Amino acid sequence: MPDHHDARVADFSSLFQFLPIGAYRSSRDGVMLRANPALVQINGYSDEQVMLADVNRSASDWYVQPGRRAEFQAQLVRDGFVRGFVSEVIRHCDREHRWVNENAHGVYDPQGRLLYYEGTVEDISERMQSELALRESEALWKLALDSAGDGVWDWNLVTGEEYVSPRIKAMYGYTDDELAPRAQELDERTHPDDVAQMQADRQAHFEGRAALYRNEHRIRCKDGSWKWVLSRGMVIARDADGRPLRMVGTHTDITELKQAEAQQRALETQLRESQKMEAIGTLAGGVAHDFNNLLAAILGNLALAREDAGPDHAAQESLAEIHRAAIRARQLVQQILAFSRRQTQELQRQPLKPLVNEALRLMRSLLPAGVRLNARLAATPLPVLADATQVQQVLMNLCTNAWQALDQRPGDITVGLDEVALDAAEALRLGHLPPGAYALLSVADNGPGMDEATQQRVFEPFFTTKAPGSGTGLGLSVVHGIVKAHQGAITLHSTPGEGTRFDVFLPLASGATDAEAPAPAAPTPPVPAPPGRHIVYVDDYEALVFLAGRLLRKHGYRVSTFLSGEEALAWFRSSREPVDLCVTDHNMPGMSGVELAQAARALRPGLRIAIVSGHVNEALLGAAAAAGVADVLGKQDSMDALADAVRALMEAPPR
């Protein structure tokens, strides 16, 4: 049987010699008595006795930091032991600096008297050098990222302590000593709407579901404003169970980027609205072409019916009402085309009151039930230098804004028009306008009104109080731009709970006022055309071809009608019959009116040609002139004035 007693009572001298770290025993007075081989090697000696003699003889302290020995002795006396005492020391043999980790305790007899001290010394120089290199490396990358514009943070996930670089603090308006080194400091300043997503992104990285942490959120600055930041980071230390211990990362200010993205979204919305308006304009143009053909047929046959009935017939009153209704329908089509059409500003001297009346007639058909539109217009027409379409757009936008302000509640919209005289002080207050006579166009509603903050921004592009998707914020800014382009001014008067009124000032044009259009009168009998005059009429709408042929024959002309440009061109090629005038529609399937004019004049160079179109624009006028067309007539007026236009063309000298 092994003798366990001998093993229990034996001393630890063999272990003392075998330990891989330094071990020693010293007297109560601090004289070193024994040192194991590891401690001898740490101190740079080859023999224990040489080392003991040298160390005990030396008067110099081996601690680099003054007072470090006293601190060690104080702990030993106070507690009876010292653990983990890390210090930088100087070896006695060669004055080389080393880092050591010391542990020591006192050994006492049964009566409690101190016998001696013993302890261990571990050389941790390599570890300390590695930690120092790591700290220097961290300092370098923190400095590099700070210099590149990215603020650096270093978060101890166990203690909650967080290093935040001066760059981050300056980003939010703080000095270097104003934010405590705690992660909570920035978390508490995060926008409430962004906290949940920020925490979710962190957790995804902590759990390994995301390789990197990445989140965009807002931070409240010292001055109360908000900055958008892009926060990126990575866990660089985990415990044995995989729990994160340390995380480092950066903050990048992306406020300007977010503002640019918001502006881009607003511009994209504006583009979509623009494309929508272009699509509406294209659709309206196609509908208007067909609808104008119908109206031309109605108005033309109505004119013939009124002639056939005679001026004293009892049906003339009813026919006049039909005529007014058809004219009203024609005006509606033209207004829809005008509002959806993209065209340059054309300032012309014209009476303002008829423009307002036209816009109000269209607006009444658009307002929902319960919204009353009241008009208080001056008796005089009030001539202004204006673009008719843009002035009507101003009124329509203001009325639409007033209607939307009522928020689906019953209410009143009042449109006023009057003449005012602005003295120098009033003109200056309105924006440095010249004093004088102005037309005052006002639009008022009895809705909820606006607060002061809303009034300050109401003319800003893209500013809107409507819900997302309900408006672009462009209406009033467009109104403001149009009014300024007309050398006028617009003002806003509003009180919460009492409604809103917009006043538009437009300078009156000098000269006599324009008279309003008289009511339609019964047509006079046609003047017979000179005998033998031959007219070719071309249109793809059969009812209109029939009507034009009948109307022109009634005026004494000989008429040949065709339903397409190709059909008319084939006749020109095969017939030698003289033609005094060719009247052709422009928008036809296949060959257009301009193309027919070019081909027909190639066959008959002296042929007079007039083109009729429901959409006369600069492009058409230019193409028609290049093709040698004598005149371009608007289809909305072609049936009423067709005979007069034909006679004028017949009597005009050839080009």
Side-chain angles (χ1 to χ4, degrees), residues 582-648:
C582 174
V583 180
T584 177
D585 184 28
H586 176 61
N587 298 306
M588 297 183 293
M591 181 176 285
S592 69
V594 170
E595 292 170 340
L596 174 59
Q598 291 171 333
R601 284 180 59 82
L603 295 173
R604 303 192 181 195
L607 179 63
R608 292 188 181 186
I609 299 180
I611 288 180
V612 179
S613 176
H615 182 42
V616 178
N617 54 32
E618 293 297 326
L620 174 57
L621 292 173
V629 173
D631 201 0
V632 178
L633 308 175
K635 181 166 285 188
Q636 65 272 20
D637 298 321
S638 58
M639 288 300 101
D640 292 341
L642 181 59
D644 292 338
V646 166
R647 181 175 292 104

Side-chain angles (χ1 to χ4, degrees), residues 39 57 149 309 356 363 372 415 455 516 521 535 625 643:
L39 183 59
R57 186 176 59 250
V356 172
M363 199 68 216
R372 293 175 295 274
V415 177
Q455 293 183 49
E516 296 194 47
I535 296 175

Side-chain angles (χ1 to χ4, degrees), residues 554-570:
K554 192 164 186 176
H555 281 75
Y557 296 103
R558 188 160 56 87
V559 184
S560 298
T561 58
F562 302 95
L563 293 173
S564 70
E566 291 82 358
E567 185 180 339
L569 185 59

Side-chain angles (χ1 to χ4, degrees), residues 262-387:
Q263 185 177 11
Q264 182 179 2
R265 287 193 296 271
L267 290 173
E268 288 173 351
T269 300
Q270 182 183 8
L271 177 61
R272 286 193 295 271
E273 290 297 317
S274 174
Q275 291 171 337
K276 185 192 302 181
M277 288 303 294
E278 289 178 3
I280 291 172
T282 302
L283 176 63
V287 171
H289 176 262
D290 293 338
F291 196 47
N292 274 333
N293 283 338
L294 293 171
L295 288 173
I298 291 171
L299 289 168
N301 281 293
L302 180 62
L304 293 175
R306 294 179 72 183
E307 289 179 10
D308 292 342
D312 299 326
H313 198 281
Q316 283 292 350
E317 185 176 355
S318 298
L319 293 173
E321 288 300 318
I322 296 172
H323 181 270
R324 273 190 286 269
I327 292 296
R328 171 71 184 125
R330 186 177 65 188
Q331 292 171 344
L332 285 174
V333 173
Q334 294 309 306
Q335 288 181 10
I336 292 171
L337 278 172
F339 283 121
S340 61
R341 193 179 298 152
R342 294 285 187 266
Q343 56 188 28
T344 57
Q345 187 183 58
E346 295 182 4
L347 299 180
Q348 296 179 347
R349 186 180 182 280
Q350 53 192 313
L352 183 57
K353 183 178 177 182
L355 299 180
V356 172
N357 276 325
E358 285 183 13
L360 291 180
R361 282 195 295 269
L362 180 58
M363 199 68 216
R364 283 193 175 92
S365 65
L366 299 175
L367 290 176
V371 177
R372 293 175 295 274
L373 182 60
N374 308 308
R376 298 173 182 173
L377 308 184
T380 56
L382 301 178
V384 293
L385 192 64
D387 183 303

Side-chain angles (χ1 to χ4, degrees), residues 70-249:
E71 185 180 346
F72 181 89
Q73 292 172 339
Q75 285 190 34
L76 192 58
V77 171
R78 184 187 69 230
D79 303 328
F81 64 88
V82 174
R83 286 196 181 99
F85 196 80
V86 176
S87 307
E88 186 180 9
V89 300
I90 304 175
R91 298 198 309 189
H92 291 291
C93 68
D94 55 10
R95 313 305 293 172
E96 181 182 338
H97 285 236
R98 309 290 290 180
W99 282 90
V100 296
N101 181 16
E102 296 181 86
N103 300 279
H105 73 108
V107 178
Y108 300 84
D109 65 11
Q111 288 73 39
R113 292 189 295 267
L114 177 66
L115 299 177
Y116 53 83
Y117 295 106
E118 61 184 15
T120 62
V121 179
E122 181 183 5
D123 188 342
I124 59 171
S125 299
E126 291 185 2
R127 191 182 81 191
M128 294 299 291
Q129 288 171 355
S130 297
E131 290 180 1
L132 178 61
L134 178 60
R135 286 195 296 270
E136 290 176 348
S137 175
E138 287 179 352
L140 284 174
W141 67 257
K142 288 176 180 177
L143 177 62
L145 287 173
D146 252 8
S147 301
D150 288 348
V152 180
W153 49 266
D154 189 340
W155 183 13
N156 186 324
L157 297 167
V158 179
T159 65
E161 291 179 321
E162 183 175 26
Y163 164 79
V164 177
S165 71
R167 178 76 181 185
I168 288 183
K169 295 178 182 179
M171 189 185 299
Y172 305 131
Y174 295 97
T175 60
D176 197 24
D177 58 351
E178 283 188 293
L179 290 178
R182 297 182 300 113
Q184 188 179 2
E185 288 287 332
L186 290 183
D187 283 357
E188 290 175 346
R189 290 167 171 80
T190 301
H191 197 287
D193 294 347
D194 302 336
V195 171
Q197 186 61 50
M198 180 181 70
Q199 293 176 340
D201 290 341
R202 283 179 182 173
Q203 196 62 32
H205 178 57
F206 292 161
E207 295 174 359
R209 291 181 283 113
L212 295 171
Y213 164 68
R214 188 184 190 280
N215 178 262
E216 295 178 0
H217 57 269
R218 287 161 287 182
I219 296 288
R220 187 179 66 252
C221 299
K222 185 178 179 179
D223 62 4
S225 63
W226 294 94
K227 274 189 183 295
W228 275 99
V229 295
L230 169 61
S231 183
R232 290 169 289 190
M234 174 185 287
V235 171
I236 61 171
R238 295 179 182 268
D239 64 14
D241 297 323
R243 288 187 292 267
L245 302 177
R246 183 184 175 196
M247 185 177 180
V248 297

Side-chain angles (χ1 to χ4, degrees), residues 425-467:
E426 291 174 316
L428 181 64
R429 180 180 57 83
L430 289 173
H432 302 281
L433 298 179
Y438 285 78
L440 171 59
L441 175 63
S442 63
V443 177
D445 65 71
N446 58 353
M450 305 180 196
D451 58 28
E452 186 65 29
T454 302
Q455 293 183 49
Q456 292 295 325
R457 301 189 60 193
V458 74
F459 293 113
E460 291 181 11
F462 310 117
F463 175 74
T464 178
T465 58
K466 303 181 182 70

